[in-house]
Amino acid sequence: MTNALARMRVSWSLDRIATARAAMAGDALWLDSARGDAELGERSLVALELAPVLRASLDGWHLHGADGAVLETGTTGGAAHDAGRPWRALDAALAAWRDGAPDDPLGFVMAASWEAAALCDPAIAVHPAANSAVRRREDIVLRVDRVLCGVVEHDGERILVARGRDAGDAQRRAQRWVDTLRDALDAGSSPANEASGRDAAPEATPTSAAAASEASPWDLGAADTGAADRNPGDRNPGDRNPGDRNPEDRNPEDRDAADRHLLAVVDDRAQADHERRVEAVVEAIHAGRVFQACLTYPLVVRRPGPLLPLYLRLRAAGPTDLGGWLRWGDLEAAMASPERFLSFRDRVVRARPMKGTRPRSRHDHGPRMDGATTGDLDLEDVATRDELAANPKDRAENVMIVDLLRNDLGRVCAVGSVHVPELFTIETYGTVHQMTSTVEGALRDGVGVFEAFAACFPPGSMSGAPKVEACALIAELETEPRGLYAGSVGWIGCDGRAEFNVVIRSLVASGPTARWSVGGGVVADSTGTGEWLESRAKLAALEAVATLAQCDAP
């Protein structure tokens, strides 16, 4: 069992750490609360070293123990399928991992594609081509990993945390990663380093309980300060296994594509097709089939090489609280998501759906990307924000999803605890204003984070109401499976806290192509033209920092 923790305080910024990690082989993840709003994105972390907990496809799943061995397998679909079993198994695995080190702030990380809905509720339909698309595009359906080593940022401090079999093993793992990162960053050639002008050589110091409590109110726990020398057989974390794919080994033209700003075009045919599908949803609403459905479409482009540089540009132009970068196998994502799916603190679960969007005012240089707060808005922005706040269509769209989430949370929360502390709040981001609401409740005794996640997935803001029928309509009308888009990525700490985003405003790459998908909720008085214009506003963040080469889906 991997029960011991070691901690070392580092002075590198998380963008530099992520850039160094991205240059190495292997899976990695950066979950980024760039705006620093603890209410919307509590914890930023870079996962440096991961170990499998659960892998799931649309055919089945398997659970791994702390030693990597497969402990349990199950099927998806069919008479023998128990939809709740993988989620209960994950809650049990988290409890066991927490027992080993209850003060570990890293815990698990998870990515769930839209198609993972089939693992949550067998009644939810996914796109008929989902299985073949997952295999062809090497997409994730559901993946959960233990974080063996990572860097977490809290209150301006960055702490490298490593787990090991004992104190010495944990300390050696921490020191190996510090050495590896220092070697990568001392060269001073990373894009983040050049952009920030920061010094290349940082300090990395072990932390003790006394030093931690003196430096920060956040409890860092005790750190082993014993020998950190490598064992003769220890593998450098940046070394590649035979057969590892190096993301930098792509064609040089592909590596440079993101920086060459190739032209992307959304043609008239795409607009006409989307408007026809909007009309089909409106017809279904008038027929009484659904109240609302979230209809989306992908802009498919040639894969532009590694996506972390693109995420750094998105982050600089319009920071959000639930963004990040992910590379798991061939799948890579640059996520500029502002939307929370669920968060968990002290057994209270909160959802913050976004429904209702308006573009921010444009100036001679293009879209505003300054992430201005309310006090910084110009008169045009204020008028746009106020119009959104009062618009009956957007309010209806929003409150339908609020009611849906009240129902979802009611399945796992104590009776009488589900309530709506905020309704129709307007949030301003670099390119858009968003209408949000907050729904929260207290988890019932015995309900874990993963069981609660499954009860609410897929996100109501990306499905519609009622959820099962809206998902069936989406599967009929959309042109291809959504993949990671409209799914969720997040972290689950051993301290009982967790945070999951909704994967929107994100470029997701697998195989030779990448997708930036957009859409919106369609209600009874929606029009095809109006929905098209709203979806175009959601492309503005990408268009402001990069233009890519459009291509047909394979």
Side-chain angles (χ1 to χ4, degrees):
M1 190 65 173
T2 309
N3 289 339
L5 289 180
R7 295 171 172 82
M8 301 187 79
R9 186 176 287 108
V10 298
S11 62
W12 299 300
S13 63
L14 289 190
D15 58 340
R16 297 189 64 207
I17 293 169
T19 300
R21 184 63 186 86
M24 307 172 198
D27 299 339
L29 175 67
W30 177 19
L31 298 176
D32 182 28
S33 180
R35 293 206 315 174
D37 186 337
E39 286 301 311
L40 296 179
E42 178 188 352
R43 189 170 293 172
S44 294
L45 67 92
V46 178
L48 299 169
E49 185 177 351
L50 300 168
V53 178
L54 185 134
R55 301 288 186 270
S57 69
L58 292 175
D59 298 318
W61 55 272
H62 47 275
L63 181 76
H64 295 261
D67 60 356
V70 175
L71 299 180
E72 184 178 353
T73 62
T75 59
T76 304
H81 174 52
D82 176 0
R85 180 55 198 156
W87 307 101
R88 294 192 300 271
L90 282 169
D91 278 321
L94 179 63
W97 193 243
R98 181 186 298 127
D99 288 344
D103 57 345
D104 182 358
L106 298 178
F108 291 0
V109 290
M110 181 172 89
S113 74
W114 174 261
E115 285 70 38
L119 280 69
C120 302
D121 184 347
I124 292 179
V126 297
H127 196 281
N131 227 332
S132 60
V134 165
R135 294 191 183 100
R136 183 182 70 248
R137 298 187 333 209
E138 299 183 50
D139 281 352
I140 292 168
V141 174
L142 176 65
R143 172 172 171 163
V144 183
D145 278 37
R146 296 174 176 86
V147 183
L148 297 180
C149 188
V151 180
V152 62
E153 184 172 65
H154 187 85
D155 287 343
E157 291 193 317
R158 289 161 299 282
I159 308 298
L160 185 144
V161 183
R163 285 185 72 142
R165 294 181 300 275
D166 52 41
D169 184 52
Q171 188 67 25
R172 285 189 292 274
R173 173 172 274 135
Q175 190 64 54
R176 285 199 303 273
W177 274 107
V178 167
D179 291 344
T180 299
L181 292 170
R182 180 183 289 113
D183 290 346
L185 291 169
D186 273 351
S189 60
S190 74
N193 183 45
E194 292 170 357
S196 66
R198 295 184 181 95
D199 294 336
E203 291 262 341
T205 57
T207 64
S208 67
S213 61
E214 180 180 345
S216 168
W218 190 47
D219 181 14
L220 297 174
D224 177 75
T225 56
D229 297 334
R230 297 182 187 178
N231 290 330
D234 282 344
R235 176 176 175 266
N236 187 301
D239 292 344
R240 296 187 179 92
N241 286 319
D244 273 351
R245 179 182 179 187
N246 178 5
E248 297 297 328
D249 287 343
R250 298 190 184 100
N251 186 300
E253 288 189 6
D254 291 333
R255 287 204 308 270
D256 297 338
D259 291 320
R260 288 210 313 272
H261 301 291
L262 300 175
L263 179 64
V265 177
V266 179
D267 60 26
D268 293 338
R269 184 180 61 185
Q271 179 175 352
D273 288 346
H274 186 64
E275 291 182 357
R276 278 195 296 271
R277 286 190 288 272
V278 169
E279 292 166 3
V281 173
V282 172
E283 290 176 6
I285 292 169
H286 287 298
R289 184 175 175 186
V290 294
F291 304 120
Q292 177 184 168
C294 183
L295 193 62
T296 73
Y297 64 92
L299 172 65
V300 183
V301 300
R302 192 176 73 202
R303 188 170 185 159
L307 295 190
L308 181 59
L310 175 65
Y311 175 65
L312 291 173
R313 290 199 291 271
L314 288 167
R315 182 181 192 255
T320 66
D321 289 300
L322 293 150
W325 165 79
L326 174 153
R327 185 182 67 209
W328 276 353
D330 187 55
L331 183 75
E332 192 175 10
M335 302 174 289
S337 176
E339 183 173 0
R340 169 195 287 167
F341 174 39
L342 297 173
S343 69
F344 298 81
R345 303 181 195 179
D346 302 321
R347 303 280 305 161
V348 173
V349 55
R350 294 180 180 88
R352 194 173 179 86
M354 287 184 167
K355 298 304 293 183
T357 305
R358 292 291 185 279
R360 290 193 61 191
S361 60
R362 298 177 69 90
H363 300 271
D364 292 342
H365 59 279
R368 292 187 60 138
M369 294 296 292
D370 53 13
T373 61
T374 301
D376 300 319
L377 303 183
D378 60 25
L379 291 177
E380 185 179 349
D381 262 333
V382 170
T384 302
R385 179 202 64 193
D386 292 348
E387 184 277 328
L388 172 60
N391 187 278
K393 180 226 181 233
D394 293 285
R395 290 166 73 96
E397 190 178 320
N398 192 287
V399 80
M400 287 180 194
I401 302 307
V402 167
D403 283 343
L404 174 66
L405 281 163
R406 289 172 62 217
N407 179 72
D408 286 347
L409 290 180
R411 298 166 61 188
V412 292
C413 288
V415 174
S417 71
V418 177
H419 63 289
V420 182
E422 292 184 21
L423 189 64
F424 307 145
T425 299
I426 306 301
E427 296 176 0
T428 296
Y429 294 89
T431 58
V432 294
H433 303 285
Q434 297 278 180
M435 180 181 286
T436 70
S437 295
T438 300
V439 188
E440 67 180 38
L443 290 178
R444 290 197 314 268
D445 290 344
V447 174
V449 168
F450 289 104
E451 185 179 353
F453 180 97
C456 299
F457 194 83
S461 62
M462 299 306 296
S463 59
K467 183 180 284 187
V468 170
E469 193 59 34
C471 288
L473 185 60
I474 289 166
E476 294 169 15
L477 293 177
E478 292 190 355
T479 58
E480 65 176 48
R482 290 179 172 182
L484 188 61
Y485 171 69
S488 183
V489 175
W491 57 265
I492 310 94
C494 289
D495 55 5
R497 300 192 172 199
E499 189 97 54
F500 300 96
N501 71 5
V502 179
V503 181
I504 57 174
R505 320 287 157 82
S506 302
L507 190 69
V508 180
S510 56
T513 59
R515 288 162 171 78
W516 182 284
S517 299
V518 290
V522 180
V523 293
D525 55 354
S526 293
T527 65
T529 300
E531 294 301 324
W532 175 258
L533 292 175
E534 179 176 332
S535 73
R536 291 293 297 165
K538 296 168 183 175
L539 279 170
L542 178 66
E543 292 173 330
V545 299
T547 48
L548 306 169
Q550 189 177 11
C551 63
D552 295 327

